[in-house]
Amino acid sequence: PSLASSARARLAMIRSSCRYDAGDYQGALETSRQAVMQAEASKDLTVAALASAQLLERSGGDIWSANVPLATQIRKYTMRAGDPQLTARVHLIFGRLEGRVGHYETSVRHFSVARNVLAREPNIWIHAALDLDHGSVLGLRGNYSAAIDLALSGAAQASSSGWAKGQAMAGSNLAFFYVMLGQEQKARRWLESIPST
């Protein structure tokens, strides 16, 4: 693989994330497209899969049928790369996207595959994200007690890994779940615990 193209792809992915977090969604989408082009030029399958997955998330996941070719390409890159950490991340992303469009059972199947991979190849950051996203899906289904259990686990792992954004996500999710259960004091404590990001 070309190190220069691979590094440029990774930098473009970081820029896309920064733009997305700042609310520049169109800029984030364009930068994700640049990341995919750089990644494909590099022949680095792991980076190509991750850049393509980022583009898939930025491309309006609600129009799922329009994104089938990109999803298929991501699967090919992932299988050819043979990297367990990449496999877990891709299933995490697919699970998150399926949850967003209401395909909850498919979403949970992707999360289960990712969990099986992490049982053999641990990664605390991916595990934190997995618990937070899975908890969000359970919350969308109204299963707030189970959602709280996963969000608490995600919060602890996000804290252990130093992932401030994950801690903020966990705090806001937990506050929402506790409000839905009528436990306003717990909700307030979690809102107050959210770190500045």
Side-chain angles (χ1 to χ4, degrees), residues 10-25:
R10 288 180 186 274
L11 286 171
M13 289 168 61
I14 293 167
R15 281 197 311 274
S16 176
S17 292
C18 291
R19 286 181 160 183
Y20 189 84
D21 289 344
D24 179 8
Y25 303 121

Side-chain angles (χ1 to χ4, degrees), residues 12-127:
M13 289 168 61
I14 293 167
R15 281 197 311 274
S16 176
S17 292
C18 291
R19 286 181 160 183
Y20 189 84
D21 289 344
D24 179 8
Y25 303 121
Q26 191 58 44
L29 179 61
E30 183 53 42
T31 308
S32 285
R33 287 191 183 112
Q34 293 169 8
V36 170
M37 288 190 293
Q38 290 290 345
E40 288 175 343
S42 77
K43 310 292 188 202
D44 184 329
L45 296 173
T46 297
V47 176
L50 290 173
S52 298
Q54 184 187 65
L55 177 60
L56 182 65
E57 285 198 281
R58 305 279 189 260
S59 296
D62 54 326
I63 313 169
W64 194 235
S65 59
N67 293 314
V68 168
L70 182 56
T72 301
Q73 189 63 50
I74 294 164
R75 286 187 186 100
K76 286 180 183 174
Y77 287 144
T78 303
M79 290 175 64
R80 286 173 53 203
D83 178 348
Q85 299 290 316
L86 172 64
T87 299
R89 284 182 71 178
V90 166
H91 279 284
L92 166 68
I93 291 165
F94 281 6
R96 185 165 50 228
L97 291 171
E98 293 285 6
R100 284 182 191 165
V101 296
H103 301 161
Y104 300 132
E105 291 189 17
T106 304
S107 173
V108 170
R109 281 198 297 271
H110 280 294
F111 293 148
S112 294
V113 171
R115 285 187 195 285
N116 288 337
V117 172
L118 292 178
R120 298 184 307 272
E121 297 280 341
N123 181 309
I124 194 169
W125 174 76
I126 297 174
H127 204 150

